[in-house]
Amino acid sequence: MLLLNKPTSKTLRKLLPPYQNTIFSSLYQPQNPASTYTQKSSYVNVYMKWKKDSYFDTIDHIHKSIVLKPIINLKNCITEAPNGCIPISQVSKRGFALDVPMKVAKFMRKYPSIFEEFAGEYNHPWFRLTPEATEIDGEEKRVYENCREDLRDRLKKLILMSKEKVLPLKIIQGMEWYLGLPDDFLQCPEKNLDGSFRFVMMEDGLEGLAVDSGEKILSVVQRNAMEKGVYSGGPMEAIEFPLFPSKGLRLRNKIKDWLKEFQKLPYISPYEDVSNLQPDTDASEKRVVGLLHELLSLFVEHSAERKKLKCLKKYTGLPQKVHRAFERHPEIFYLSWRNKTCTAILKEAYCDESAIRQHPLLEVRKKYIRLMRESAVILKNRRVNGWLAGGGNMKLDLDPEPKIEDIAGDGANIKVDLDLGNADQRDGECSQ
């Protein structure tokens, strides 16, 4: 006699389309509206091929930011000194803390347009700021003073994107450069913070900064959609992300269909509670994309090193493989591989200037970068004069300012494997 095993619920789920049978749909209906929709929007694996875009690879203030940061750190050390000058011994052992990529003295001598060297006591090298750098430093301080409320709001939004509305101070300090906050912003809370901020002790023993705010905050995507009349302010409305495809990128119909359905999913604000949101679904991915979009919109250059965002995963609910959100949406983000690192850039900030408000500190940083470029001319003139003074026997090196080379030269032969599953590898192919 042949005995048939009684089919289990697991077996039936394999045989039936997911969540379409009335029996199983009733069992998997959570009460949270966002989560309810998410259960019906399973994760779709797609293959995206990286496409080089020379426009984003040549935005100076993005790719010079990695060099500008240690310059600003050293500049602050000089301005904080009582006499406005410091001996090299005061900073020579602090290169790691100041993010200086080489010996501090060698680094400062690379930028004579910013740091002026002179002989101090016992003929030791001392440094002070050039008049041009001093002028820009004064403008920077005025921006901090006049735009304190704007900077405070950006910090508040960063904290409100966290799950518990609190972030450790060390995480905030790691984001200060991107948010455009001065180094002493958290050291003077009575001047820089309002009553909605409070210092707390977190469960893991870290000191944190929390925000108590009952007001509803609209993200950049929601605000722009409301101005265009396609968003009424209600929950669970489908808002489409603005797309900016790179020139020459051609997607297969399968990818286009997936993107079209992805745009129709409800937009979940990064400031909303998503504790009941089911992970590994297209709807949860749209929430992740929305959070990254909002995060980059707060930053000075609307960009950040991708690895620097990993520290936010635990506190904002970002998935372990958050890099896939950047890779799967090349019409929203661009990944630049210059400076031997991966920089995530928000395309909308540079393709639609009216969509995202410019950071008040951006123009100041651009001035610093232009002043940095003058160092190349000064160094070249010094080498020429030294060559002439030596009777033409010295080795003439007219190389401009040393560059941090791209990860693979001009990027033409970069091969990035973004295979995110067993999907058809022809999807997302682009013309060469």
Side-chain angles (χ1 to χ4, degrees), residues 240-253:
E240 297 186 359
F241 291 107
L243 302 180
F244 303 92
S246 296
K247 185 177 180 181
L249 178 63
R250 294 187 296 180
L251 304 178
R252 287 176 59 87
N253 291 332

Side-chain angles (χ1 to χ4, degrees), residues 53-155:
D53 193 319
S54 58
Y55 170 71
F56 292 104
D57 280 331
T58 55
I59 299 178
D60 224 20
H61 61 268
I62 291 179
H63 302 292
K64 288 290 185 181
S65 177
I66 194 173
V67 181
L68 180 60
K69 184 179 180 182
I71 289 178
I72 296 298
N73 291 338
L74 289 167
K75 183 266 301 181
N76 291 338
C77 292
I78 295 176
T79 56
E80 291 169 2
N83 298 326
C85 57
I86 58 173
I88 188 59
S89 57
Q90 186 171 325
V91 291
S92 60
K93 303 298 183 181
R94 298 173 57 194
F96 181 79
L98 298 173
D99 294 315
V100 180
M102 59 186 70
K103 288 186 176 181
V104 177
K106 181 179 179 181
F107 182 80
M108 298 181 76
R109 287 166 180 153
K110 280 190 173 184
Y111 300 98
S113 62
I114 298 176
F115 304 112
E116 181 181 343
E117 182 178 1
F118 63 98
E121 188 178 4
Y122 303 114
N123 208 30
H124 287 173
W126 283 59
F127 288 90
R128 61 190 168 212
L129 295 182
T130 63
E132 295 81 6
T134 302
E135 182 179 350
I136 301 177
D137 175 69
E139 183 178 347
E140 181 183 8
K141 286 181 169 58
R142 288 191 293 272
V143 170
Y144 287 143
E145 185 69 26
N146 299 332
C147 302
R148 184 178 290 113
E149 184 176 353
D150 182 283
L151 300 177
R152 182 169 56 238
D153 287 343
R154 292 174 188 269
L155 174 60

Side-chain angles (χ1 to χ4, degrees), residues 103-369:
K103 288 186 176 181
V104 177
K106 181 179 179 181
F107 182 80
M108 298 181 76
R109 287 166 180 153
K110 280 190 173 184
Y111 300 98
S113 62
I114 298 176
F115 304 112
E116 181 181 343
E117 182 178 1
F118 63 98
E121 188 178 4
Y122 303 114
N123 208 30
H124 287 173
W126 283 59
F127 288 90
R128 61 190 168 212
L129 295 182
T130 63
E132 295 81 6
T134 302
E135 182 179 350
I136 301 177
D137 175 69
E139 183 178 347
E140 181 183 8
K141 286 181 169 58
R142 288 191 293 272
V143 170
Y144 287 143
E145 185 69 26
N146 299 332
C147 302
R148 184 178 290 113
E149 184 176 353
D150 182 283
L151 300 177
R152 182 169 56 238
D153 287 343
R154 292 174 188 269
L155 174 60
K156 182 181 297 185
K157 288 181 178 180
L158 174 67
I159 297 175
L160 289 176
M161 279 190 274
S162 63
K163 293 183 291 185
E164 304 296 333
K165 314 305 179 190
V166 57
L167 283 176
L169 292 183
K170 67 175 185 178
I171 298 294
I172 297 175
Q173 290 167 353
M175 294 288 109
E176 283 180 341
W177 173 256
Y178 294 121
L179 290 171
L181 304 180
D183 294 338
D184 61 348
F185 194 82
L186 296 179
Q187 299 172 10
C188 305
E190 64 284 347
K191 181 175 67 173
N192 297 320
L193 304 180
D194 57 25
S196 63
F197 292 89
R198 58 187 177 89
F199 291 95
V200 298
M201 188 61 65
M202 303 180 66
E203 294 180 355
D204 48 7
L206 298 175
E207 188 177 2
L209 185 64
V211 172
D212 299 320
S213 177
E215 61 177 330
K216 181 179 180 180
I217 298 181
L218 295 178
S219 67
V220 170
V221 173
Q222 289 174 318
R223 187 175 65 248
N224 292 339
M226 187 173 288
E227 292 176 356
K228 296 176 182 178
V230 295
Y231 173 63
S232 61
M236 301 306 296
E237 290 191 45
I239 305 178
E240 297 186 359
F241 291 107
L243 302 180
F244 303 92
S246 296
K247 185 177 180 181
L249 178 63
R250 294 187 296 180
L251 304 178
R252 287 176 59 87
N253 291 332
K254 179 180 177 180
I255 299 293
K256 292 179 180 179
D257 293 341
W258 171 76
L259 287 174
K260 186 176 181 181
E261 293 301 318
F262 180 85
Q263 292 280 51
K264 294 179 181 179
L265 295 174
Y267 174 82
I268 304 174
S269 171
Y271 305 108
E272 293 180 10
D273 178 26
V274 290
S275 55
N276 293 326
L277 191 63
Q278 184 71 23
D280 299 327
T281 60
D282 280 349
S284 65
E285 181 179 348
K286 187 164 185 177
R287 185 257 173 184
V288 171
V289 172
L291 189 148
L292 294 174
H293 183 287
E294 182 73 5
L295 187 65
L296 293 178
S297 71
L298 298 177
F299 292 167
V300 178
E301 291 92 7
H302 306 302
S303 65
E305 287 186 78
R306 191 175 62 177
K307 63 183 180 182
K308 295 295 181 66
L309 302 179
K310 292 181 179 180
C311 63
L312 296 172
K313 289 191 296 186
K314 176 181 177 181
Y315 304 98
T316 59
L318 292 173
Q320 184 66 24
K321 297 182 179 180
V322 63
H323 60 274
R324 290 188 175 182
F326 292 118
E327 295 164 353
R328 283 162 59 90
H329 299 277
E331 297 181 336
I332 301 175
F333 309 106
Y334 178 72
L335 296 178
S336 175
W337 296 89
R338 286 190 57 185
N339 298 337
K340 296 184 179 180
T341 188
C342 180
T343 303
I345 304 172
L346 181 61
K347 283 189 168 184
E348 185 177 11
Y350 295 93
C351 298
D352 185 358
E353 295 182 357
S354 62
I356 300 178
R357 183 178 55 183
Q358 178 176 299
H359 196 288
L361 197 62
L362 181 61
E363 288 302 321
V364 174
R365 289 191 180 177
K366 287 182 177 179
K367 290 183 179 181
Y368 275 121
I369 291 172

